[in-house]
Amino acid sequence: MSWNWNSHGLPFLPGYSFQDVTKPAFHRPQTLGYKNGYALPRRPTIGIGQSPLLSAQLRLQELNQLPLQEHEASYDTYDISQCEDFIPAHVALDKKVLRFYAYFTEDVLYSPEEHYRIRSVVIHYFLEDDTMCIIEPAVENSGIPQGKRIKRQRLPKNEFGEYYTWIDLNVAMDMEVYGVKYRIIDCDSFTKEFLASEGIILNVPESMPSDPYTTHRTKPIPCFTMPSKCDPANKFLTMDRKVLRFFGLWDDSQSLFGDTHPVTIHYYLVDDTVEVREVQESNSGRDPFPILMRRQRLPKKTKTHISNIFPTCVLEVSKDEVEEYYSPRDFQLGQKITMLGRCFLLCDCDDFTQQYYQSHYPDMELNPVEMTRQEPQPLQEVPPYNGFGTLEDSLQNCLSLVPVPPKKNLVKQLENNNKVLRYRESQFEVDEDRTFVLSYYLANDMISIYEKSSRNSGIIGGKFLEKTRIPKPDSSTENPQFYSPTDFAIGSTVEVFGHRFVLTDADRYVLTYLESIQSQVPTEILNSLRRRFGLDTYTIEKHDIIYFRSIIYFAYHIFCVYFSIVCLCFGSQGNYRFKKAKCA
């Protein structure tokens, strides 16, 4: 102890030493510090009880000799590049691991087939902190608990408290840890390079000895009976965890609210069972039940005398009643397969399934089919028109919960704003003395009827029909046809909601407008309006012919003048006389 180095000449025995009451602190000083994130140890300067250490004190003679020492001055150049930054070992050797391959021998008791077994291990040595761990690779179907044998720690080398370091490890040597002797036979390439860089000569690698029990199992077992065609044990050992996976579509469109669902079909080769899982899409709104059909053997063909028995429709089919089950040959890409009353379309498969079919069924062609889901189109039946409002407004109530006004042709409204075609009409064979004015609005194709009042008629005039679109008598609510200006001729009959009117007269603007769109209006409509205003169709045609002839004569005069100018420019001699044509 550093605080009792001066015991006033008394021997250090019980009863001859006493504690200094002026020293209340007896903890050990801190010798570990951090600089720039790295842990750096430092040498202690004081001991227990804040007393100075013997190693930190200099003798009086040494202190007196310090001023008398002379040092020769050196004037050599100082090269900064020769100084390297200090890197701690735990940083420089981080994630650097030496790997050795070894084995150990385990005695087997009470077994006539084996006396010992060879178990291979991998030894990992972490250079960062000189820790080691031993891991045994797992062997399939070994029946032995394998994995990590010794967790990461410093392994003791002997009974004196020494630990194994990388200097003690080499190839072709034994390493005893906790009573188990491990024989190191080889190491990886990084370990070889590291040990060679440190000057360690590696021994000659050894080969892994063979396990006598494993060698014994590889020999065929003599059998004095005929082997069975279906060996479940052999099938389990060879086909376990080998599954054929198909991607398909389940057509459920015939059921109520049916749809086409993507599914995954698993065929387990170990026991020839089939499982169907539905592929759930995010936010599909369906219940999360992925297993559509549990894993089971699916009967393909049952015996003929079983189909007429009643309980087969409510009870499961037993093995004695099944004549044939589904096999891998029944799953063909691009074909439909029916399993338990459900129809599935096989579209594609995974890579293992393709390799399995190429090796076991080379005659079968695997042609993947694109998975195209046909979304069912809901049938929206429009209810019949009830007579309230227009057809467009009533249809909007059926298309959406919140009705939206029907779209209007704004370009047509702007072009035909304040353009109205007016006709005079009278009722057909009923009250022929009553006079009505039919107004056709070109902006929205609506019609309004106004009755002119007459004195002493007994009928009050005024608005007979508000602005609305009038369907033709032969139209229906499914395919409505409305009146247009091409249907109004002088003398024609117009039926308006059961009332029949005869057109007797029209405005002059009606004729002007229809002539502007002459190509869209029948000739009969224009002729009836022209006759009403005293314009004969023959006179109009005659004026058109005269106008056409005048254009021809004018072009002939132009041609003659041009020809004479050309002749004069080229110096032609002769008199050219041109007779002027007289207009007829």
Side-chain angles (χ1 to χ4, degrees), residues 16 18 48 134 201 209 214 221 270 306 313 320 324 398 418 432 434 473 476 488 503 518 539 573 584:
Y16 288 90
F18 62 92
I48 299 176
I134 300 177
I201 301 175
T214 306
I221 302 175
V270 65
I306 302 299
C313 64
D320 299 333
E324 183 182 0
C398 305
N418 297 329
E432 295 181 357
R434 299 173 63 181
S476 60
F488 298 146
L503 300 180
Q518 187 174 358
T539 305
Q573 297 179 359

Side-chain angles (χ1 to χ4, degrees), residues 536-550:
D536 192 1
T537 57
Y538 174 75
T539 305
I540 295 175
E541 292 177 359
K542 184 176 179 179
H543 285 296
D544 294 340
I545 294 173
I546 294 173
Y547 178 73
F548 181 71
R549 287 180 179 179
S550 62

Side-chain angles (χ1 to χ4, degrees), residues 329 354-366:
R329 185 175 288 275
Q354 294 180 0
Q355 297 175 3
Y356 178 82
Y357 274 92
Q358 290 175 3
S359 59
H360 292 79
Y361 303 97
D363 55 334
M364 295 181 61
E365 297 182 359
L366 299 178

